[in-house]
Structure formats: structure tokens, C-alpha cells
Amino acid sequence: MISFDHVSFRYDTDQPLVLQDIDLTINRGDFVALIGHNGSGKSTLAKLINALLIPTEGNIHVLDYNTRDEDSIWAIRQHAGMIFQNPDNQIVASIVEEDVAFGPENLGLEASLIRTRVDQALEGVNMTEFVTRPPHMLSGGQKQRVAIAGVLAMEPDIIIFDEATSMLDPIGRTEVMQILKQLNQKGITIVLITHFMEEALQADFVYVMDQGRIALQGSPLEIFDRQEELIAMNLEVPEILIITEYLKQQGIPLEPVTEQADLVRQLCQLK
């Protein structure tokens, strides 16, 4: 569904490469997390998927479209929606339902279909009761849910979350992550760029970016088992894995898990 073939990128010809020789493939229905310290290139990579940036070298295909093809850019952005870290930069209308309708209106859909899509999108992010509310009166998490609804109303195959939880409090982050997982369960491909390791732990597959390259890749448990390498790249290990490892060192037989509830369940089953 998404493929990078020897992709490199620089912002200006006289500047060094921000991304270097990136090869990766994301399949339909995947939930992929990209992590890395600030400046590692992960947000640049996200913008390349959505054709907001064009590779300096190499090719990127989204579905069957090459992002280099100017005639395909509109189609790519229909299929690959993007959620940014600050929802205020993405909300364009003064009423929630009008904002969610903005994308479908630009697709030229009939009014009845737009109404249906707006209602379904708001229901999907649990924001139906706020349909006539001004966005500026919402909390940060609620605004981000409106931004997600605006993308959902365009019915994309892929949604890219570019540090979309970074400005939210813990409750807001939890709300957005719950919605993100629900969307993935419905078959939408998710690309999550995050600096919260607990969020990456919930993905199916993780890419670790460092100095513009893919330094590590694998399942979350495979990645976070390489603690020394992560620390060397100024990345943390999720607290649940630190606790699990400590308990194992104390002689408590535990399997590595990604959810707190699963750890509690194992502990409760011990005699």
C-alpha cells in the first residue's frame, strides 16, 4: 500500500540530507509506529507519504500512485489523510459540523452524502453531541477528535498521525489512541509518528529513525528489548517493560506484555 524505494530527501540543495536511502513497505491494514528523537526525520517521512514533500531521490508509491506524479497528488491526499500535532492548524470552520464537512465538500459530493458522512464521522469519534459547538470552545482532545472526523469524512484508506497527541494531556492522548485503534480494527491503515513510547508499544510494527535512516525495525517487543541501542539514540523504554523486567529479575516468571491489564492478569494468576 505504501512503499519507499531508496528514498532520500533534503529541503534545500545546499543543505545535508534529512532522510537517507529509506526502504520500507506498509501493507493494507497495518498499524505502524515511527519513533525517533527530535530531528531524526520521522515527520519529514510522514509528509512524504502524503505528497506534501517530494523525494530528492528515489520513489514513493501510495496505493498505485507515485508521489512524483503531479496529476496523482489530489488522489493520494484523498486516500491518505493526515492529522497534525496542533488541531488548531487543521480546523477551518466556526462550527464543528461545518469543519467536518469541509473535506467532503471539496470532493464535490452531493449534500445528502456529505450529511451522512459528517454524521458517521462524528459518531466514529464520539463527538455527535458537539455537532453545533464552536471548535474554540472544545478541549484539546476534543479538537483533535474533530480533526480526525474531518479526515474520516473523506473515507481515506490510510491515516497518518504526525505527533497528533503531543500537545494533549494524558486523558486526551488516551482518547485519541482509543479512536486510532478502533479505526485500525475497521481496516484503515495507520501510520503513527510519536515520541511517546507507550503509544508505539500499541502498534503492530515499529520503525526507529536515527539521523535520517531507519536504525531498527520490528515488532514493539523486539524493538524495546534492545534497550541499550534505544538509550544510545536518546529514546526511552516503556515503563511497563521496565517493571516487567525488574520483576523477572526478582524471580517472578512473567511473559513480556504491551498492556498494563495483561501484566496485572499475569500477576494475579501467580500462586
Side-chain angles (χ1 to χ4, degrees), residues 50-241:
N50 196 244
L52 293 173
L53 300 173
I54 304 301
T56 303
E57 301 171 13
N59 291 284
I60 302 168
H61 285 86
V62 178
L63 299 176
D64 294 324
Y65 302 104
N66 190 321
T67 63
R68 289 186 177 279
D69 182 1
E70 291 186 6
D71 293 335
S72 298
I73 288 177
W74 177 237
I76 289 169
R77 292 177 185 167
Q78 284 182 256
H79 290 286
M82 195 158 185
I83 309 295
F84 299 96
Q85 63 177 233
N86 188 347
D88 288 329
N89 294 337
Q90 198 158 351
I91 292 174
V92 298
S94 59
I95 299 296
V96 165
E97 64 180 352
E98 293 175 357
D99 189 82
V100 178
F102 181 77
E105 286 172 349
N106 283 335
L107 295 177
L109 302 180
E110 294 182 359
S112 59
L113 182 54
I114 292 173
R115 180 73 263 170
T116 298
R117 288 199 183 186
V118 169
D119 291 342
Q120 290 175 342
L122 287 171
E123 182 179 357
V125 298
N126 301 316
M127 288 293 289
T128 300
E129 64 182 286
F130 300 95
V131 62
T132 59
R133 190 77 61 86
H136 72 269
M137 295 182 64
L138 303 177
S139 68
Q142 290 169 337
K143 288 180 183 178
Q144 198 61 286
R145 283 192 272 166
V146 172
I148 295 170
V151 171
L152 282 179
M154 298 179 70
E155 297 190 349
D157 300 290
I158 305 159
I159 301 181
I160 306 149
F161 292 81
D162 186 11
E163 303 212 30
T165 64
S166 65
M167 298 181 66
L168 305 180
D169 60 23
I171 294 175
R173 290 201 301 271
T174 299
E175 290 175 349
V176 171
M177 286 302 297
Q178 288 174 342
I179 291 168
L180 184 153
K181 289 189 287 185
Q182 291 168 2
L183 296 175
N184 183 240
Q185 290 168 0
K186 294 177 181 178
I188 295 176
T189 303
I190 301 294
V191 181
L192 173 68
I193 291 84
T194 182
H195 63 262
F196 293 110
M197 299 303 103
E198 290 78 9
E199 293 180 357
L201 198 56
Q202 298 179 53
D204 299 322
F205 199 84
V206 179
Y207 289 98
V208 183
M209 303 288 298
D210 185 51
Q211 297 182 1
R213 297 180 181 273
I214 296 175
L216 301 172
Q217 55 183 296
S219 72
L221 291 178
E222 289 171 340
I223 293 299
F224 291 114
D225 190 46
R226 303 171 72 168
Q227 296 188 17
E228 291 184 3
E229 293 171 82
L230 294 173
I231 292 170
M233 289 184 277
N234 297 314
L235 296 174
E236 299 177 351
V237 176
E239 190 174 65
I240 187 173
L241 296 183

